Amino acid sequence: MMSSNPPAYLRALLDGSSDASVLCLSNGVIWHANDVAIRILQITPDEDVKGVSVSTHISFSAAAPSSRFLSWSEVTGTGTFRNDRKNARGVATTATGKCFPVTMTIVRFHLDEVVDLNQSSGLAEISNNNNNGHNRSFFCLYIQHDKDSLTSIQRKMESLEGNVARHSATRDTILRSTGQFLIVVDADGIIREASPGVAHLFGYEKNNANNDNDENYKVENCHIDELFQGKGSQFISREMTNQQVRIEKHGEKKCNSGGRKLVDLQVQSSIIPPTEGNPGTDTAIMIKDITGQKPPQCQNQQPNNKSVPPHEITESKKDVTIGILDASFDSLFVMTEQCIIEMVNQTSCDMFGWTEEEFIGQNIRMIMPKHMASRHDAYVARYLETGIKKMMGKQREVMAQRKDGSTFPCMLGLSQCRNSGLICGLIRNLSPEKEAESKYLEKQTQVYSKEIQLKQKITETKEIMNALVKNQSMVMGILDASFHSLFVIDENCIIQMVNKKSCDDFGWTKEEFLGENINMIMTPDVACNHDQYMKNYLSTRMKKMIGTQREVTARRKDGSTFPCVLGLSETQNFGLYCGFIRDLTAEKKAASDMRAKTNELIRNESIVLGILNASSNALFVIDENCIIQMVNSKSSEVFGWTEEEFLGKNINMIMPADVAVHHDNYMKNFLNTGIKKMIGTQREVTACRKDGSSFPCLLDLSEAKGSGLICGFIRDLTNQKASEAALIENNRSLEVNQNIMSGILDAAFHALFVINDKCIIQMVNEKACDVFGWKREEFIGRNVNMIMPPEIAPHHDQYMKQYIETGVKKMMGTQREVTARRKDGTTFPCSLGISEPGQSGLFCGFIRDLTQEKAREAEIIAKQVAAENLSHELQANQGIIMGVLDAAFHALFVIDENCIIQMVNKKSCEVFGWTKEEFVGRNINVIMPAHVAEKHDQYMKCYLETGVKKMIGTQRELIACRKDGSTFPCVLGLSETEKAGMICGFIRDLTKDKAAQAALLAKNAELQIQQNLIMSILDASFDGLFVIDEQCTIRMVNSMSCKVFGWTKEEFMGQNINMIMPPAIAEVHDGFMENYLKTGFKKMIGTLREVTARRKDGTTFPCRLGLSETKESGMFCGFIHDLTDEKAAEAEILAKKRLSEKIIDASFDSLFVISERGIIEMVNKTSTTVFGWTTEEFIGQNISMIMPGDHAENHNSYLERYTKTRFKKMIGKEREVEARRKDGSTFPCMLGISEVENGGSTQYVGFIRDVTIQKSLLLAQAEREASDSLLYNILPEHIANRLKEDPSHIADLYSNTTILFADIVGFTDRTSVMSPHDVVVMLNDVFSRFDYLVDIYDLNKVKTIGDCYMVTSIPSDELEHDGCARVCRFALDMFKAVRAFNNTGPRHGQINFRIGIATGQVVAGVVGTKRFLFDMWGDAVNVAARMEQSGLAGQIQVSKEVVENAGPEFTFELRG
């Protein structure tokens, strides 16, 4: 046994710990346990855990797959530790018998120091003590519930080991610096420990010259009298001695000095305070060599005016303790129950500013703020009276006060030393942590502020982008309304823009067109040479096709070709080429039919065809038998059948099967009853294409009265449905739209400025703000010279005036490198490109910072030009389009009544080959074939005489002659000017444009056709249309407007447009129009805006309003789209989205959605609960934040490797991994990852399930199975099951049980000459062979007593003859097993057995609570024992009952 307990201050530190820790001796006996460990083990106050084996309360589990428990020696064996530390698992057993799994870190120490610098653990360690000549180690068990992480324990232990080593070295340094030496002796005078240098002081030589510590092996474990030559016992168990002794410097036969040198020593001794229940004491002895010095005075007394505590510590011990504590990073105070400071360390002085002398003897409240100091003594008095611990044994954050009066936050931990009445307090300064936390919060505030600013900028950018998109949408709407295909290509023949008609005519989508070479729509023989044509033009600038119209052949996506008219024009300054293509297929067919029909039929058919072909929706006309009589071209495009395949077929061919079978009956019901269910309404239905695919569509039916025909318009809703579905991913769509809009601007020059002719900035993009440093609000309305250097800025306005006056372009349409100025005054080189979009009076400038990107200047300029053309020159595009249309001129001739040419246009010269000078003054018959020319003058005379117009006012196809004599077909249109007496003739060359015949009808008829066509288109629209003048008077509406609002066309016409507005808007609407007409500032025009409209019945509804202005006519056109259904669908989708979010948040598993780069885009509520971060802290961070170190560092490389190889290791699987929380702790979890394609990008969705509890359950299950296995090894299975179900006493009576006893012959004599090891090995070998046979014969092994082996049949209530037979067979095989053992050549000779068997009634039950046993009693047991005792060696002796029950297979011999 040890002669002392842990010192008081060690126990105080342990008791102040918040963690369970147990100190053990090398033999596993508990030396000390703190209150947390006692509480966990549920030991009552009247029990004492000290002196009890640690195995009583903790069972150590062996490594898997073994289910057994380890002994203490196996746990602490030398080979099981790594760096004096190991982890272990086991089962803790409380005093009440309750068991629970625990995780432990066991640390072995070889030092003799106590430290406590880690308040979170509060552990104290003891190490390396020698007692009775045996080296002894001390072990500390750090215990946690199994759910706690071993990693955190290991970190604490590693920190603690470092502190132990550091402070042990500090103590030795202090002792050396003071010339003192320390030895500790037990009550018997045996030296247990000694500081370095003690052996040398007394004359003992070193064992190893390279290690100062090795010399102490001569001193430790010796008696103190050996050092002090019989004078040492006086210092044992003496308190506060201070004496001088003189000794000879030598040891027993170990003196390294030949003489008898005398040494004067000053010796101080101090008793190390005992602990409760252990009266033994150790003594600390401080020694100082004073040879040749004046002996120092005893310094036992305390300074004046300071109280001496009853537990006074020696100066030497105090020096050592303070030296250790001074190395602590935390401040330490030891005070009495009267709050008087008894001890402080150096850190306290440094932290608070007082010296140690100023501290000692003062009240502890000197370090407290006034409001706490005034009440502190009362708190202590209340604690001493009641014993209620509020602060004791805990850690709490408080405020402390320094000598200079300043205060600071700190962490205070208090504990009370048992028996001594002292209170120990540790204080850690939290100022650095608070500062760091404050800086972190400040940084987070700054980040949040920047996020708000960024969101504001994003919002502003979105508004600009929306405006650009709306403007672009308006222009694209105009282009898409065109009846001809439009293509815009660059100088590389790459398609930059197409309209809707192009997609309809050629079969490709816009996405398939953009970025492709224009030769994709050409026949192969032309396509292969087209790029060369472009190169020739760019090098020579000789126009062959540009500015002309030519009939060519085009190719559709399906490979079919068709004739068309191509008109080309070049856009100025943009390097783009615009081409209009008109399909001549229908027109050629119409021209052929026109020759066989009258002009009236031709005009009517043209009107019908124009209406049908103008419709953007599929048209079907059916008769009363549901047979298709007419379709338009859109029907063929939408459904895939040709017009010939449609005509004569039943309309149900475009319906799903379940509807098609009933459709004819619907028609019959309508014809019989006249009740209109579908006719005159719009309804959403499903239609089927030729390829079998179906799509949603809107069906509008009307009845042609008197004709027996029904007309139906079908609009494909596929895109609309896709838009509605896109609302589900609203946030994602917004982001994508934002990126698209940003890309439009960023594709041009970086910084964008739009100014007016006064040099005032009208618009800038986000890049301009980033480059120059001003905000958008600071730019708008200011002169653009704000971004110019001082030497340029004063002259800029004059440059603008000169350009406006002269029109001479110096900068316009060019790019020039200039110098620009930022807000902070710094300048930088940049590339400036300026353009004037159309006739808008605005100037657009793109500025690109050349500081880092001069090498990419050419590429950026190209993008700038493209961006200018596509994003900011929408008005200019409109002008370009009008220029293209104006480029399509026809040959014009004006002649007098004598047929003399008076005027021609440029086109005439180009078509016929004569110059204007050669034309004017000549007879018009120069352009006619000879057989017509000779009669032409006569035709004119007839007309002038009769006034009968045969040609005038008509269009006629005829033959014309060129200057070179060649002829060509053309269409001639003549008109007469009433006042001038002139006749005007337009000639269109039909060689290039034969389809123009239908378009050259009489002017009045043509206007009427166009008007009818426009009205047909407008009435077929799904949106309401209003055309108003500058007085807000309605001039035109379509049928949908009447249907939506409830008024008739007659009620609309001539009324103010405010009739369809809510009262609050209607009152001020005319004012809005007046402001616009005065200022020209467009707020609504050219945009789309959601507003509220009012019907005739007074009800209101949401709608989308789009306005545009026709400047030539002074009219304003507005389209109104009813949003009622869309709003309802949007609300439904939003509700479903919210429901989905709630379902995701309700999941018990954590959800993470990350991008391809590993950035978190979405988490659910469970993720924030499990990991500790908020949603805001998650979003935008890398997913590696939830991974332990190694995985976190490599995760991005895992993603990159998967992106390259697409080899799935984790995708689509579940795997157990380790995750990390915000607080740094880790936990096991199950991870499942799936890959999702979303809008062209890839996302990864991961579900994480915390399996900590499952792991604990599995461990508990394994431990339970191990416990069950152990139980089944001790008891029969059915008895073990009964015991688990009911732990009460088990006692049963069995009427027919067979018992066998076996005993080794001569065992006592044999074992007297054998070693204990050989005896155990022999018995284990033989009995293991018997155990194997027990399992084979399904018997019950009861016990072994020495060399006696007892087996029974399985106890049962039923009479079991087979049990007796199995025991007999088992007995015979026992001898076989013995013979097999003897054949192995045992060292101590062969053995033999006696066996006795009996059958009869027995009482069986479980006896005891520890190492319990299933035993049997009764006459049969006694008889079996006597059978064995009286039997012969190598024979089986049985009772009469065994003979009767064994059966016929055995032969028995009667023994006389």
Side-chain angles (χ1 to χ4, degrees):
M1 289 294 293
M2 294 183 60
S3 59
S4 68
N5 294 300
Y9 56 91
L10 169 59
R11 289 185 283 109
L13 294 175
L14 284 176
D15 292 341
S17 171
S18 60
D19 300 315
S21 58
V22 177
L23 286 173
C24 297
L25 305 182
S26 59
N27 59 0
V29 173
I30 298 175
W31 193 32
H32 185 76
N34 68 351
D35 292 338
V36 179
I38 292 174
R39 184 170 63 254
I40 289 177
L41 299 177
Q42 299 181 9
I43 299 172
T44 56
D46 56 343
E47 293 178 285
D48 190 358
V49 73
K50 183 168 67 276
V52 178
S53 174
V54 71
S55 299
T56 303
H57 294 287
I58 299 175
S59 300
F60 300 88
S61 300
S66 176
S67 60
R68 68 187 186 92
F69 292 104
L70 302 176
S71 65
W72 173 256
S73 60
E74 290 176 302
V75 173
T76 60
T78 304
T80 63
F81 281 78
R82 174 175 290 181
N83 297 327
D84 286 334
R85 182 175 65 256
K86 69 176 293 183
N87 298 325
R89 284 188 171 183
V91 177
T93 305
T94 66
T96 60
K98 180 181 178 181
C99 298
F100 58 92
V102 293
T103 299
M104 295 161 285
T105 293
I106 306 173
V107 181
R108 178 178 59 193
F109 289 91
H110 301 285
L111 302 172
D112 81 347
E113 193 49 58
V114 178
V115 294
D116 180 21
L117 293 183
N118 189 346
Q119 293 189 38
S120 64
S121 66
L123 287 178
E125 309 299 346
I126 283 210
S127 64
N128 197 23
N129 294 282
N130 292 321
N131 192 16
N132 299 327
H134 297 287
N135 182 46
R136 301 179 65 190
S137 299
F138 289 81
F139 299 86
C140 180
L141 279 65
Y142 186 90
I143 305 171
Q144 287 185 326
H145 282 285
D146 200 31
K147 63 182 180 180
D148 295 329
S149 172
L150 282 174
T151 305
S152 62
I153 301 172
Q154 291 170 357
R155 292 196 192 104
K156 294 177 181 179
M157 291 295 105
E158 290 169 355
S159 175
L160 187 57
E161 286 181 75
N163 290 338
V164 169
R166 184 173 65 253
H167 293 295
S168 180
T170 302
R171 184 205 66 181
D172 293 339
T173 301
I174 293 171
L175 291 175
R176 288 193 186 97
S177 64
T178 58
Q180 299 181 76
F181 304 89
L182 170 67
I183 61 175
V184 178
V185 298
D186 60 16
D188 298 325
I190 302 302
I191 300 175
R192 290 177 45 215
E193 26 188 303
S195 63
V198 171
H200 179 71
L201 176 65
F202 286 91
Y204 289 85
E205 62 183 4
K206 297 181 180 179
N207 183 46
N208 185 346
N210 296 323
N211 190 343
D212 291 338
N213 292 329
D214 283 345
E215 63 181 359
N216 285 340
Y217 90 103
K218 301 289 187 178
V219 177
E220 292 172 354
N221 298 321
C222 294
H223 198 278
I224 191 170
D225 282 341
E226 293 181 35
L227 290 186
F228 288 90
Q229 300 164 9
K231 303 175 184 178
S233 298
Q234 60 180 315
F235 305 118
I236 300 174
S237 301
R238 296 286 298 277
E239 179 67 23
M240 296 304 294
T241 63
N242 190 349
Q243 302 181 33
Q244 297 177 19
V245 297
R246 175 170 290 179
I247 64 171
E248 296 178 356
K249 189 173 182 180
H250 64 85
E252 292 182 0
K253 300 180 182 180
K254 302 174 185 177
C255 180
N256 63 354
S257 175
R260 298 173 59 84
K261 184 178 179 180
L262 299 179
V263 181
D264 293 325
L265 303 175
Q266 181 176 337
V267 182
Q268 297 179 353
S269 64
S270 176
I271 298 175
I272 300 176
T275 56
E276 294 177 4
N278 189 352
T281 59
D282 288 348
T283 304
I285 301 175
M286 296 293 298
I287 306 169
K288 187 172 184 180
D289 188 356
I290 58 173
T291 305
Q293 302 179 16
K294 181 179 178 180
Q297 298 295 323
C298 180
Q299 300 178 3
N300 291 338
Q301 300 300 321
Q302 296 289 335
N304 293 333
N305 302 324
K306 293 185 180 179
S307 61
V308 179
H311 58 284
E312 188 170 357
I313 305 173
T314 64
E315 282 295 328
S316 59
K317 183 175 184 306
K318 184 175 179 181
D319 289 342
V320 176
T321 304
I322 291 178
I324 295 166
L325 297 177
D326 283 347
S328 171
F329 296 109
D330 296 333
S331 173
L332 176 132
F333 288 86
V334 178
M335 67 180 186
T336 66
E337 295 178 346
Q338 291 74 36
C339 305
I340 301 302
I341 300 173
E342 289 296 325
M343 183 189 298
V344 295
N345 64 350
Q346 184 59 41
T347 304
S348 302
C349 302
D350 297 339
M351 187 180 295
F352 288 91
W354 283 284
T355 63
E356 183 178 0
E357 291 73 16
E358 291 173 322
F359 268 127
I360 302 301
Q362 300 296 322
N363 194 296
I364 192 65
R365 62 173 178 256
M366 68 188 294
I367 66 171
M368 303 176 188
K370 292 181 179 180
H371 67 282
M372 296 174 59
S374 59
R375 296 176 287 187
H376 182 261
D377 288 354
Y379 295 154
V380 176
R382 189 178 305 117
Y383 164 66
L384 295 175
E385 290 175 4
T386 63
I388 298 174
K389 297 181 179 180
K390 293 187 177 181
M391 291 285 288
M392 208 65 65
K394 303 177 182 177
Q395 293 183 3
R396 183 174 294 180
E397 186 176 332
V398 297
M399 294 297 295
Q401 180 174 299
R402 302 184 183 92
K403 183 177 181 179
D404 60 7
S406 61
T407 59
F408 62 95
C410 62
M411 185 65 73
L412 171 64
L414 291 178
S415 62
Q416 186 174 19
C417 305
R418 297 180 182 176
N419 303 326
S420 64
L422 290 178
I423 297 175
C424 178
L426 283 171
I427 296 176
R428 185 171 79 245
N429 189 356
L430 297 180
S431 298
E433 298 177 18
K434 294 291 183 181
E435 252 179 61
E437 183 179 352
S438 175
K439 290 181 181 178
Y440 173 75
L441 292 175
E442 182 180 355
K443 185 177 180 181
Q444 289 299 104
T445 303
Q446 294 175 355
V447 171
Y448 179 69
S449 176
K450 290 181 180 178
E451 287 180 356
I452 292 177
Q453 294 176 4
L454 181 59
K455 289 179 180 178
Q456 290 175 347
K457 291 181 180 179
I458 290 174
T459 302
E460 294 171 357
T461 303
K462 286 180 180 178
E463 292 176 355
I464 294 174
M465 292 301 176
N466 290 336
L468 291 173
V469 170
K470 290 173 182 176
N471 291 335
Q472 186 176 4
S473 299
M474 180 181 70
V475 175
M476 289 305 300
I478 295 172
L479 296 178
D480 286 341
S482 173
F483 296 105
H484 305 313
S485 300
L486 166 69
F487 289 86
V488 177
I489 65 173
D490 60 16
E491 294 177 346
N492 297 316
C493 304
I494 302 302
I495 300 172
Q496 303 295 327
M497 183 171 69
V498 296
N499 67 347
K500 186 174 183 298
K501 186 64 176 175
S502 302
C503 302
D504 296 341
D505 286 348
F506 288 88
W508 284 283
T509 63
K510 284 188 178 182
E511 292 73 15
E512 293 173 324
F513 268 127
L514 297 181
E516 298 296 331
N517 196 295
I518 191 65
N519 60 20
M520 67 187 294
I521 65 170
M522 303 175 187
T523 54
D525 57 324
V526 178
C528 61
N529 300 317
H530 183 262
D531 288 353
Q532 188 60 42
Y533 298 157
M534 176 64 80
K535 290 179 181 178
N536 292 339
Y537 169 68
L538 293 175
S539 59
T540 64
R541 310 306 294 185
M542 183 182 297
K543 298 181 179 179
K544 294 183 179 181
M545 290 286 289
I546 295 180
T548 66
Q549 293 184 4
R550 183 175 294 180
E551 184 174 336
V552 296
T553 301
R555 185 175 67 90
R556 300 186 183 92
K557 182 178 181 179
D558 59 7
S560 61
T561 60
F562 61 98
C564 61
V565 169
L566 171 64
L568 290 177
S569 64
E570 182 178 8
T571 60
Q572 298 296 325
N573 302 326
F574 296 105
L576 298 177
Y577 302 87
C578 178
F580 276 95
I581 296 176
R582 186 170 75 244
D583 187 352
L584 296 180
T585 305
E587 297 180 11
K588 282 181 177 282
K589 184 177 182 303
S592 176
D593 294 341
M594 185 167 41
R595 295 186 184 93
K597 296 182 180 180
T598 64
N599 289 337
E600 184 65 22
L601 292 177
I602 294 173
R603 183 168 60 254
N604 292 338
E605 187 174 10
S606 298
I607 293 172
V608 173
L609 291 176
I611 293 173
L612 294 179
N613 292 327
S615 176
S616 60
N617 302 317
L619 169 69
F620 289 86
V621 178
I622 64 174
D623 59 17
E624 295 176 346
N625 297 318
C626 304
I627 302 302
I628 300 173
Q629 302 297 324
M630 183 186 299
V631 295
N632 65 350
S633 59
K634 191 66 178 180
S635 302
S636 300
E637 294 173 8
V638 171
F639 289 90
W641 285 283
T642 64
E643 183 178 356
E644 292 72 16
E645 291 174 322
F646 268 127
L647 297 180
K649 299 292 180 64
N650 195 298
I651 191 64
N652 61 15
M653 68 187 294
I654 65 170
M655 302 175 189
D658 57 332
V659 178
V661 296
H662 303 293
H663 184 261
D664 289 352
N665 290 332
Y666 299 155
M667 176 64 81
K668 291 178 182 178
N669 291 337
F670 167 66
L671 296 175
N672 294 334
T673 63
I675 298 175
K676 298 179 179 180
K677 293 184 178 181
M678 289 286 287
I679 293 178
T681 65
Q682 291 182 3
R683 184 172 295 183
E684 186 175 329
V685 296
T686 300
C688 288
R689 300 186 182 91
K690 182 178 181 179
D691 60 8
S693 61
S694 59
F695 62 95
C697 63
L698 192 66
L699 173 62
D700 188 358
L701 293 178
S702 61
E703 184 180 10
K705 295 183 178 179
S707 65
L709 299 177
I710 295 176
C711 178
F713 279 94
I714 295 176
R715 186 174 76 186
D716 189 349
L717 296 180
T718 304
N719 293 334
Q720 180 178 336
K721 291 293 182 181
S723 299
E724 293 174 355
L727 290 175
I728 297 175
E729 297 294 335
N730 188 36
N731 292 334
R732 183 71 178 174
S733 298
L734 288 176
E735 182 180 355
V736 172
N737 289 337
Q738 176 187 346
N739 293 335
I740 293 173
M741 300 308 162
S742 299
I744 293 174
L745 284 180
D746 293 338
F749 292 115
H750 289 183
L752 166 70
F753 289 85
V754 177
I755 64 173
N756 61 15
D757 54 6
K758 306 297 182 185
C759 301
I760 302 303
I761 299 173
Q762 304 296 316
M763 184 175 72
V764 295
N765 66 351
E766 186 66 27
K767 190 64 180 179
C769 301
D770 296 338
V771 170
F772 287 91
W774 283 283
K775 297 180 180 178
R776 195 185 303 274
E777 297 75 12
E778 294 175 320
F779 270 125
I780 302 303
R782 296 184 63 182
N783 196 296
V784 76
N785 61 17
M786 67 188 291
I787 65 170
M788 303 175 187
E791 63 272 13
I792 303 297
H795 308 293
H796 182 262
D797 289 355
Q798 186 61 34
Y799 299 156
M800 177 64 81
K801 290 181 182 178
Q802 290 177 0
Y803 168 69
I804 293 174
E805 291 173 359
T806 64
V808 177
K809 297 180 179 180
K810 294 183 178 181
M811 291 285 287
M812 205 68 63
T814 66
Q815 293 184 21
R816 183 174 296 180
E817 186 174 331
V818 297
T819 301
R821 185 175 66 90
R822 302 186 182 92
K823 184 177 181 180
D824 58 8
T826 59
T827 60
F828 62 97
C830 62
S831 178
L832 172 64
I834 302 176
S835 64
E836 184 178 6
Q839 304 298 324
S840 63
L842 298 178
F843 301 89
C844 178
F846 283 92
I847 295 176
R848 178 167 56 90
D849 188 351
L850 297 179
T851 305
Q852 299 178 352
E853 299 185 34
K854 283 193 174 184
R856 299 174 56 197
E857 183 175 358
E859 179 183 358
I860 300 301
I861 291 173
K863 290 183 179 180
Q864 180 186 23
V865 172
E868 287 176 347
N869 182 57
L870 295 176
S871 302
H872 305 291
E873 296 296 335
L874 298 178
Q875 186 64 35
N877 282 346
Q878 187 175 3
I880 293 170
I881 295 170
M882 294 302 298
V884 173
L885 295 177
D886 291 339
F889 295 111
H890 302 308
L892 170 68
F893 290 86
V894 178
I895 63 174
D896 59 15
E897 294 176 346
N898 298 316
C899 302
I900 302 303
I901 299 172
Q902 302 296 323
M903 184 174 69
V904 296
N905 66 349
K906 184 179 179 181
K907 190 67 177 179
S908 301
C909 300
E910 293 175 358
V911 170
F912 288 90
W914 283 283
T915 64
K916 284 188 178 182
E917 293 72 17
E918 291 174 324
F919 265 128
V920 176
R922 298 186 67 177
N923 195 296
I924 190 65
N925 59 17
V926 299
I927 64 171
M928 303 176 188
H931 66 283
V932 178
E934 61 188 16
K935 302 178 182 178
H936 183 262
D937 288 351
Q938 187 61 35
Y939 296 155
M940 175 64 78
K941 290 179 181 179
C942 291
Y943 166 67
L944 294 175
E945 292 174 357
T946 63
V948 177
K949 297 179 179 180
K950 294 184 178 180
M951 291 284 289
I952 298 202
T954 65
Q955 291 183 4
R956 183 172 294 181
E957 184 176 340
L958 45 82
I959 302 297
C961 286
R962 299 187 184 91
K963 182 179 180 179
D964 59 6
S966 61
T967 61
F968 62 94
C970 63
V971 170
L972 172 64
L974 294 177
S975 62
E976 182 179 9
T977 58
E978 295 180 359
K979 295 183 179 180
M982 296 289 181
I983 296 175
C984 178
F986 281 93
I987 296 176
R988 185 176 56 170
D989 187 351
L990 290 184
T991 306
K992 303 176 182 178
D993 193 4
K994 286 189 176 184
Q997 299 171 33
L1000 294 177
L1001 297 174
K1003 187 174 182 179
N1004 292 335
E1006 183 180 6
L1007 292 175
Q1008 185 63 42
I1009 291 172
Q1010 291 178 354
Q1011 182 177 359
N1012 293 337
L1013 179 62
I1014 291 172
M1015 289 309 300
S1016 299
I1017 295 171
L1018 295 178
D1019 287 339
S1021 173
F1022 290 98
D1023 298 329
L1025 168 71
F1026 290 86
V1027 178
I1028 64 172
D1029 58 20
E1030 295 178 346
Q1031 288 75 39
C1032 303
T1033 301
I1034 298 173
R1035 296 302 183 185
M1036 184 188 299
V1037 295
N1038 66 348
S1039 299
M1040 183 55 69
S1041 300
C1042 301
K1043 184 174 181 179
V1044 170
F1045 287 92
W1047 285 283
T1048 63
K1049 287 188 178 181
E1050 292 73 17
E1051 291 174 323
F1052 269 126
M1053 301 303 294
Q1055 299 297 319
N1056 194 297
I1057 191 63
N1058 61 16
M1059 67 188 294
I1060 66 170
M1061 304 175 189
I1065 304 299
E1067 296 174 357
V1068 295
H1069 182 262
D1070 289 352
F1072 297 157
M1073 178 64 82
E1074 291 175 3
N1075 289 336
Y1076 169 68
L1077 295 175
K1078 290 178 182 178
T1079 64
F1081 183 68
K1082 298 179 180 180
K1083 293 184 177 180
M1084 291 286 286
I1085 293 178
T1087 66
L1088 287 172
R1089 185 173 295 183
E1090 189 174 323
V1091 297
T1092 301
R1094 184 174 67 90
R1095 300 185 183 93
K1096 182 177 181 179
D1097 58 8
T1099 59
T1100 59
F1101 62 96
C1103 62
R1104 184 180 293 110
L1105 172 63
L1107 289 178
S1108 62
E1109 179 183 12
T1110 57
K1111 291 186 177 181
E1112 295 78 2
S1113 62
M1115 296 291 181
F1116 301 87
C1117 178
F1119 280 92
I1120 295 177
H1121 180 70
D1122 189 350
L1123 296 177
T1124 304
D1125 295 337
E1126 294 181 19
K1127 288 291 183 181
E1130 185 178 347
E1132 182 180 358
I1133 291 171
L1134 183 61
K1136 291 180 179 179
K1137 179 181 178 183
R1138 290 174 178 169
L1139 178 60
S1140 299
E1141 291 174 350
K1142 290 181 180 179
I1143 293 172
I1144 291 173
D1145 283 339
S1147 172
F1148 292 105
D1149 296 334
S1150 299
L1151 168 72
F1152 289 86
V1153 178
I1154 66 172
S1155 67
E1156 290 178 298
R1157 296 183 295 109
I1159 302 303
I1160 300 173
E1161 297 180 345
M1162 176 182 170
V1163 296
N1164 65 349
K1165 188 175 180 181
T1166 305
S1167 301
T1168 62
T1169 303
V1170 171
F1171 287 89
W1173 284 282
T1174 63
T1175 302
E1176 293 73 17
E1177 291 173 323
F1178 268 127
I1179 301 303
Q1181 299 298 319
N1182 196 289
I1183 191 64
S1184 62
M1185 69 188 293
I1186 66 170
M1187 302 176 187
D1190 292 342
H1191 291 291
E1193 295 173 0
N1194 300 323
H1195 185 260
N1196 287 340
S1197 62
Y1198 298 158
L1199 274 180
E1200 292 174 2
R1201 185 158 54 250
Y1202 171 69
T1203 302
K1204 293 177 181 178
T1205 65
R1206 312 305 293 179
F1207 180 68
K1208 297 181 178 180
K1209 292 185 176 180
M1210 292 286 288
I1211 305 286
K1213 304 175 183 177
E1214 282 194 355
R1215 183 175 294 181
E1216 184 177 331
V1217 297
E1218 193 173 60
R1220 184 176 69 90
R1221 302 185 182 91
K1222 183 178 182 180
D1223 59 8
S1225 61
T1226 59
F1227 62 96
C1229 61
M1230 189 64 70
L1231 172 63
I1233 302 175
S1234 60
E1235 185 176 7
V1236 179
E1237 294 292 333
N1238 185 8
S1241 63
T1242 300
Q1243 292 176 315
Y1244 302 96
V1245 180
F1247 282 92
I1248 296 176
R1249 183 185 307 115
D1250 187 349
V1251 295
T1252 304
I1253 297 177
Q1254 291 90 323
K1255 286 275 188 180
S1256 299
L1257 293 176
L1258 289 175
L1259 179 60
Q1261 177 66 21
E1263 292 170 348
R1264 187 162 51 251
E1265 291 174 356
S1267 176
D1268 290 346
S1269 176
L1270 180 61
L1271 190 61
Y1272 292 145
N1273 282 334
I1274 298 173
L1275 303 175
E1277 183 175 354
H1278 70 285
I1279 297 299
N1281 292 334
R1282 285 177 57 189
L1283 188 63
K1284 288 196 296 182
E1285 295 173 0
D1286 183 8
S1288 60
H1289 293 294
I1290 295 179
D1292 297 308
L1293 177 65
Y1294 298 103
S1295 59
N1296 189 27
T1297 301
T1298 301
I1299 304 98
L1300 178 148
F1301 281 96
D1303 186 76
I1304 298 177
V1305 178
F1307 177 75
T1308 303
D1309 295 335
R1310 176 186 294 272
T1311 56
S1312 62
V1313 296
M1314 295 174 65
S1315 67
H1317 177 268
D1318 290 342
V1319 172
V1320 173
V1321 170
M1322 178 188 70
L1323 290 177
N1324 181 64
D1325 190 348
V1326 176
F1327 287 170
S1328 295
R1329 298 172 190 263
F1330 293 169
D1331 291 342
Y1332 173 73
L1333 296 174
V1334 167
D1335 291 336
I1336 291 178
Y1337 289 107
D1338 193 18
L1339 301 177
N1340 172 41
K1341 176 184 176 182
V1342 179
K1343 58 187 174 181
T1344 59
I1345 307 172
D1347 62 329
C1348 180
Y1349 193 88
M1350 180 181 177
V1351 175
T1352 71
S1353 60
I1354 300 297
S1356 174
D1357 293 334
E1358 300 179 0
L1359 293 177
E1360 188 182 24
H1361 296 288
D1362 181 62
C1364 181
R1366 283 188 280 111
V1367 171
C1368 292
R1369 285 192 291 269
F1370 169 74
L1372 293 173
D1373 283 348
M1374 287 178 72
F1375 284 117
K1376 294 180 182 179
V1378 171
R1379 286 194 296 271
F1381 171 77
N1382 290 334
N1383 290 336
T1384 62
R1387 291 177 54 192
H1388 298 282
Q1390 297 184 349
I1391 63 173
N1392 206 347
F1393 270 80
R1394 291 190 304 269
I1395 299 176
I1397 305 175
T1399 298
Q1401 180 176 283
V1402 297
V1403 174
V1406 177
V1407 180
T1409 58
K1410 291 186 178 180
R1411 298 182 181 177
F1412 45 77
L1413 177 67
F1414 180 71
D1415 208 346
M1416 296 184 182
W1417 307 269
D1419 290 341
V1421 176
N1422 296 332
V1423 169
R1426 288 195 294 271
M1427 290 292 104
E1428 179 270 320
Q1429 294 168 2
S1430 61
L1432 300 177
Q1435 299 294 321
I1436 304 172
Q1437 185 165 268
V1438 302
S1439 67
K1440 177 183 177 183
E1441 290 77 12
V1442 173
V1443 176
E1444 295 173 351
N1445 289 283
E1449 65 175 293
F1450 301 100
T1451 301
F1452 298 95
E1453 180 180 334
L1454 183 63
R1455 186 178 179 197

